[in-house]
Structure formats: C-alpha cells, structure tokens
Amino acid sequence: MALFDIESSSPSTPRRAKKSLFSFAKTNSSDLTPPQKPSQTFSRTIMEDNIDNASAIIKKWDHSESSSDKYCSFLQQDRKEAKEYIQCVNDLKRAMHFLVTQHSTCNKLVLAQNLMQMAMQRLEKEFHQILSTKKEHLDPESVSKSSTSSHLSRSISVDSQESIESGNEIQVTEFERLSVQAMNDLKMIAECMIGSGYAKECWKMYRTIRKSVVDEGLYRLGIESRSLAQLNAMKPDVLENNITDWINAAKVAIKTLFYGEKFLCDHVFSASKTIRDTCFSDLAKDAGLNLFKFPELVATKTKKSHEKTFVLMDLHEAIEQLLPEIESIFSYESVSAVKVKVHSSLNKLKSSILSMIYNFEVSIQKNSSKTPVPGGGIHPLTTSVTDYVTSLASYNGVLSDIISDFAFVSPSSSYPEAYFDSPSISPTPNNSKKSSVSAKLAWIILVLLCKLDSKAELYNDIALSYLFLANNIHFVIERVRASTPKDLLGHEWTSSLERKVKLYSSKYENVAWSKVILCLPKSLNPAISPDTIKEHFKRFNESFEESYQRQKSWVVPDEKLRDEIKTSIARRLVSVYRDFYDYYMVVLSGENDLDVLVRYSPDNFGTCLTDLFHENNLRCRSLLSSTTSLPNSCVWRCIS
C-alpha cells in the first residue's frame, strides 16, 4: 500500500528496525576514521545529550520490566511532563537521524533505538488507554458538538489546552473540557508515532477500537440487514413504520455518528492525509454501504403499489436533504462507493415513485365498477383520486425533482381536448419544475374526469347523469381549493372546471324540468277557457309529481352547489307557475273541489323544491295539501 511506502525505511517493529535503519556496517581494524570537524563534534555532543535526557524521561515511565506495577497514564498525572515526554521523543528522533547519517557505528545509536522502542510501546499503551477508557468523551455525539461549537472548535484547532484548563477567554463545561483534552491527546500521540515511523501500529489500533464504536452505533439505531423476502412479507403499515424508523436512524447516523467519526479521524490524523483517508475508509465504508442498502432494496424489490408512493417520497426527501452532508463526509476517494450507493438509491426511488404514479393512473382507467352511485352522489373513485392528488401536492418540492424529466402525454391523446383549457398547466416538456408538478396533477385529474364520463353513462336517467358529473367535478374543485393543489393548479384551472359544473347543472335542469314547464302556457291568454285552464293545472300536477318522485332520492352533497341548483330551478319554474297561478285562479275561484284541482300554491311548491337533493327527504308529502306555509329557505328567499 502507498500508505506504508514511506515507512519501509523507518522502524515499525523493534526486530525489523534493527535490520534496517540502524544495522551496523562491517569495518576492518585497519580502517581509519578521519578526524571530525569541531562543528560535527559539537553537534554530536548536543545529540548525545538529547539521548541522555530522553533516557531519563522514557525510563521513568517504563514499567515493562515490572509486570506487578499498576499501569499509570502520564497523561492523567502530570500533563506538563507528558508534553515533555512527547518533546523528548521528537528530540530522540532527530538525534537518531543525525547519528545514522554521521556516526552509524556509534553506541549511542543502539541506546537511542532501544529508547525509541520503549517510548513507542509506552505511547501505544497511552493511545489504547485513551481510546478504551474515554469512549464517553469520544462518542460521535460529543465530538459532533465539539466540532459545531465555535469556542470548542477554536480550542481544538489551535490546540489551546492551557486556555481550556485555565478558563481564559474560553468557557466550557467539564465534560467538554475532557472531550477536547482526549481528542488533543490522541492527536499529539498520533503525530509523534507517525513521525517516528510507527504509523501502522497507530492507525490499526485506532481502526479496531473506533470501528466497534461505529458498528455499535448503527446497531443501537436499529440499522440491520433485511432480505427481500422480509420486506415483501411486511404489511403496508409495518413497512411504513420500518421506513420511518430508518429515516430517523439515518439522520442520526449521518449527522452524528459518521460526521463525528469523520471529524475525530481528521483531527487525530491531521498530519497525514493518506492515513486519515485509509483509516476513515476502514471505519465507515462498510457501515455506510450497509446503511443505504435498505432504501435501495425498498425501491427496487418491493411491490409497486401506489399506496407506497408517499412513504417512498418521504424516503427520497430524507436522503436528498442529507445529501450535502453525505457528500462532505464521504468525500475521500476510498469511500466514494457510499456516495455511489446513495445516488443509486435516489435514482431507483425516483424510478419506483414514477412507476407507482403511473400505476395509479392506470388503475383509474381500469376501474371496472358497474354499480352507479345512488342518487348521483360522489363516486368513491373521485374521493380516492382527489385524496391522492392532494397528498402528491403536499410533496411539491420533492415531486418537482422526481418528475422534472417526466415524459408528458400530449393533449393530442385520446382524451378530450376541451379538458386542456389552462395553458399554465398544459403538459409540455418545456415547463418549469413547478409547472411540471402542476401538469402532472392536472393530468391525473383529467384521467379521473374522463373516467367519470363513462361512469355517468351507467345511469338510465340522462338528467341524473348530468347531476352526477356536476357533483363530482364540484367535489374535485372544492378539495383542490381547500389544500395545496390550489396554488399549483391555479385560478384559471379551477375556473375552467367551474364552467363545466355550470354546464352540467344547466343540462340537468333542462332535461329534468323542461317537461314540467311545458305543461304551462307560454303566455297568459284571457281567452283561454276554464276547461283548458283545468287541463293545464292537471298536467302540471302530474308532471311535477312525476319529476319530484323521480328526483327525491337524488342527492347534491355540497350545500353550496345544492342551493345554487335549487335556486336556478326555482327562478325558472316557480316564477312561471306563480304568474300562471295568480292569473288564472281568479277564473277558477268558483269551482268545486278547487283544492284537489290546484294541489300546489306557489308557497308550498317552493318548499318542495327546497327539500330536494337531501339524502332523507320525507317532509314534502306533509306539505302537499298545505296552502299557507311560507318557507324560510335559501330557494324561497331567492325567488320571493
């Protein structure tokens, strides 16, 4: 590995070191060593003094000879002396380099090598001690807080341990102080060991201990491998709960676990980019791939049911929001496989979501229910589609990214061109992302409206077919206005559908009530005989009762639309009947059984209209013989 190319000339183990850097060259007794220059002698003296000083400090803390001595960390005892220990190791390293180049046969070099081995063994123990006993202060959450806190980041970056301990300018809690101290101690030891040629021993120990922290962290978050069989066996609500749990776990894993480990690794091994790259790869690569295995499996292997659309969009949105942090954390080439996995998951989620939306459109077209909705009310398909569209619109942000490259179906399709009245949402590939979402929502509703046309044909009464269409289109409009699609589809689109509601309402009115109106004369003629007048009343009574009986089970669920339709009927029917009634009742005033002949006064006639289109309409029968009631209704107020 490239990591260790620079280490081949430096001691990594005591045995190997003696065979490489510090092996003595064979000499003959007759060989003469040339006299040294004064400057060389002076330098050698300084280097040998450094070795002697290092010997005193290193041996003081060497307990290898006595196994009965309890291990005592110098970093926990005297921090000033600990720094002196690191400094003496660095001085020892410089002395060794000097003696190797100038006096390779010097006995001091052998002593220096032995001291270096003792020092590295000691530092390995210190390094292991910190990693093992300071896990609480080095856990990813604590490290993440340290990295995001401005005063702690400043203390870490400048290694101002004295400032933290003295409390000058930087105020931290005791826990924060110990966390920063542990991080800086690890960095100090790592730099010393790497500089002394013991990089391999250092990062291997770090990797072993910290990898267990990462693995344990993912386990505690509930990240575990699941098979395709397990996912497909889950009920929809169970799968949804699993996805929700994964989203919450992934946020913690990325923002805290991996971020904290990346920060700690970069800090400890800041002296070597190669080492921190390799070390973090060993820690996080497999864990990261395991983390993002779940969304990829969900996207590609689970059944493409439209019920899963929104939970998959939750999954896509969560990963998309984490993407900047993922890109930053897994920026090294050695862990680029994690980024590839993430982008693969996003693309597969996008493909699955688009497939589910398409499948939903197909399910609308294939709806084969042949049972008409009683009374021309709201079809269950209308309710389910508007619920779906409303939910889609609430995901406008993520949906715009998902369908930005969607291949729109042209208005030249088999659907009526009249439905594409709104150019702002017409489905063309050149629209903006927001328009793409608007066009997709409008298209799904278009598929519904076309299907409702075929559902209307199931009614035997044409008037009821028109009332059914008016009811259902009005329901769509009201649902859109009351939710997010209102802003996406716009006023122009809703106005277009409102015109259709008015059109179908008018057609219903003409078909349902024209026959009743035709029973009355077109104009008031004083020359009409009483018998003709009686015939007009008789035909009107029969026609009205027939229409009323046929329509009393019809419904208009929306109160506003119900009042509008009844008001329109009243303006046409009641006003004509009132004129006829007032004009000819004078002629018939002397007739016997007038109450049988003239069954309705304009007053109770208006009341009967008022009671239409309710689910339970039984009131009108009790009013048929009344000629005095004055209903206080919306319809009556409108025609009075």
Side-chain angles (χ1 to χ4, degrees), residues 581 600-605 607 623-631:
Y581 179 91
Y600 306 100
S601 73
D603 294 345
N604 58 26
F605 181 70
T607 302
L623 297 172
L624 292 179
S625 61
S626 172
T627 60
T628 59
S629 62
L630 294 174

Side-chain angles (χ1 to χ4, degrees), residues 444-467:
I444 295 174
I445 293 175
L446 168 63
V447 176
L448 168 66
L449 298 182
C450 292
K451 192 64 181 180
L452 290 175
D453 279 344
S454 66
K455 298 294 184 184
E457 295 174 359
L458 298 174
Y459 293 98
N460 295 324
D461 193 311
I462 297 177
L464 185 55
S465 297
Y466 287 134
L467 188 65

Side-chain angles (χ1 to χ4, degrees), residues 213-253:
V213 173
V214 173
D215 293 342
E216 182 182 355
L218 289 180
Y219 175 79
R220 290 180 178 275
L221 289 171
I223 303 299
E224 56 183 276
S225 296
R226 292 179 175 87
S227 66
L228 172 60
Q230 288 176 311
L231 290 179
N232 283 331
M234 291 180 183
K235 294 181 179 179
D237 57 333
V238 175
L239 178 62
E240 183 173 348
N241 290 336
N242 273 264
I243 292 175
T244 301
D245 291 343
W246 185 92
I247 290 172
N248 294 331
K251 290 178 180 179
V252 177

Side-chain angles (χ1 to χ4, degrees), residues 242-286:
N242 273 264
I243 292 175
T244 301
D245 291 343
W246 185 92
I247 290 172
N248 294 331
K251 290 178 180 179
V252 177
I254 295 299
K255 294 176 178 290
T256 300
L257 182 61
F258 288 110
Y259 176 81
E261 287 300 327
K262 173 73 159 45
F263 183 84
L264 181 61
C265 189
D266 287 352
H267 179 72
V268 172
F269 297 108
S270 59
S272 173
K273 180 182 183 302
T274 304
I275 292 176
R276 64 175 180 261
D277 187 342
T278 304
C279 190
F280 184 69
S281 175
D282 290 344
L283 290 178
K285 181 179 178 179
D286 290 342

